[in-house]
Amino acid sequence: MQALKKRILREGKNLGNGILKVDGFINHQVDPALMDECGREFARRFAGVGASKVLTAEISGIAPALTTAYHLGIPVVYARKHKPITMPDQVFLTLTPSHTKGRIVELIVSPEYLAGGERVIIIDDFLATGATILGLIRLAETAGARIVGIGTLIEKTFEGGRQALAHLGVPIESLASIQSMEGDIIQFGPDS
Amino acid sequence: MQALKKRILREGKNLGNGILKVDGFINHQVDPALMDECGREFARRFAGVGASKVLTAEISGIAPALTTAYHLGIPVVYARKHKPITMPDQVFLTLTPSHTKGRIVELIVSPEYLAGGERVIIIDDFLATGATILGLIRLAETAGARIVGIGTLIEKTFEGGRQALAHLGVPIESLASIQSMEGDIIQFGPDS
């Protein structure tokens, strides 16, 4: 998506080691108009998959997942990393390594909001190794839900996430695919 | 706001000890159309305050803050509770007691996105004791920004947050004011 790629080139910072800083419009400060445009684009790309719910992980997935769900007219559930006191004792929980935190984090969803028969689109900010998304997939499958699509704002194709998710046989859509971050540059690949 | 109050009466659960569970449409599963309507209403109420930025705290504040910022046409910043590796070493940080977590949490904002001269609206899901919002106010004031409005989806008027924020002399808007949660009921007070 051109608007997102332009913004990455203008304001994204390649911090080295494959870390792309997009804190000015996605991860800390958020540009709501850009997020709305991204959500509209995901909704367009996933219009035909018959989704009943969007699933994401707190924190950075919330903004694009919310706007996607808005444009699809369905609810969004964000997996929590800490169980709040309002959640029942029996939950779906999985462990996943966090790339940016350097440790294992929990992903928790209440069975109240993820049920058998649901058709789930997973939306997240980044597709890198795919570890977080694989965690969300385990939660959805444990709930008896079916994954019908995966969408990420930014894919780093050199980290192998797309290959790790290929076995699902569902459409994987990224709005900006980054092929290389060698040196100081950010080089986009062909659109997914 | 009628739509929000109706939803609270229909799906909110009074768990006792002043804890209102709204996990089905705000705090875990989110209804994006309702959040959009709430954001539109905040934007209407704060249309005259000349805000340049919306400030909230992760996690539950993100959805209403994003839709408010969208309808005001300004960016939103969410204070982080853990410093990500993309953030500079020098940050604005304050400590605040978390009502629902029973411990002290950090609220962190990068100076890159909160600057002197900004006119800030704070948006959050709940106004209870006001502790989180007071933390956000300290961050904004340390940055040299000025608070021009405070908006929350749900106010529990019996927890004193409005009194704790009164010294600021800015408009405090709640879309649903709950006066009492004694017994099993949820009783709304007059609109703020």
Side-chain angles (χ1 to χ4, degrees), chain A residues 13 15 19-24 26-33 35-36 40 53 58-60 62-64 66-67 69-70 74-80 82 84-88 99-101 103 108-110 112-113 118, chain B residues 13 15 19-24 26-33 35-36 40 53 58-60 62-64 66-67 69-70 74-80 82 84-88 99-101 103 108-110 112-113 118:
Chain A
K13 286 198 185 84
L15 299 185
I19 298 166
L20 178 64
K21 172 170 170 162
V22 287
D23 287 4
I26 296 176
N27 284 153
H28 181 28
Q29 176 167 267
V30 183
D31 178 338
M35 284 305 109
D36 183 69
R40 191 185 299 267
K53 202 158 277 186
E58 66 180 35
I59 302 156
S60 303
I62 295 176
L66 182 75
T67 56
Y70 177 78
I74 58 179
V76 52
V77 171
Y78 54 91
R80 309 292 311 237
H82 302 277
I85 49 177
T86 50
M87 208 180 261
H99 190 56
T100 41
K101 296 210 177 90
R103 57 181 174 85
I108 308 168
V109 169
S110 169
E112 299 164 293
Y113 310 116
E118 298 249 36
Chain B
K13 286 197 185 84
L15 300 183
I19 297 167
L20 177 66
K21 172 171 168 160
V22 288
D23 286 6
I26 297 176
N27 284 151
H28 181 28
Q29 177 167 265
V30 183
D31 177 338
M35 283 306 107
D36 183 69
R40 191 185 300 267
K53 200 158 280 185
E58 68 181 33
I59 302 157
S60 303
I62 295 176
L66 182 74
T67 56
Y70 176 78
I74 57 179
V76 53
V77 171
Y78 53 92
R80 310 290 313 235
H82 302 276
I85 47 177
T86 49
M87 209 179 261
H99 190 56
T100 43
K101 296 209 177 93
R103 57 180 174 85
I108 307 168
V109 169
S110 168
E112 299 164 293
Y113 310 116
E118 298 249 37

Side-chain angles (χ1 to χ4, degrees), chain A residues 31-112:
Chain A
D31 178 338
L34 180 66
M35 284 305 109
D36 183 69
E37 205 177 332
C38 292
R40 191 185 299 267
E41 176 64 15
F42 279 132
R44 191 185 68 75
R45 296 193 189 188
F46 292 121
V49 303
S52 62
K53 202 158 277 186
V54 172
L55 178 64
T56 188
E58 66 180 35
I59 302 156
S60 303
I62 295 176
L66 182 75
T67 56
T68 302
Y70 177 78
H71 288 290
L72 285 168
I74 58 179
V76 52
V77 171
Y78 54 91
R80 309 292 311 237
K81 289 178 183 163
H82 302 277
K83 187 172 169 297
I85 49 177
T86 50
M87 208 180 261
D89 292 336
Q90 192 71 26
V91 296
F92 300 125
L93 184 152
T94 194
L95 299 176
T96 181
S98 169
H99 190 56
T100 41
K101 296 210 177 90
R103 57 181 174 85
I104 301 290
V105 298
E106 297 184 342
L107 292 176
I108 308 168
V109 169
S110 169
E112 299 164 293

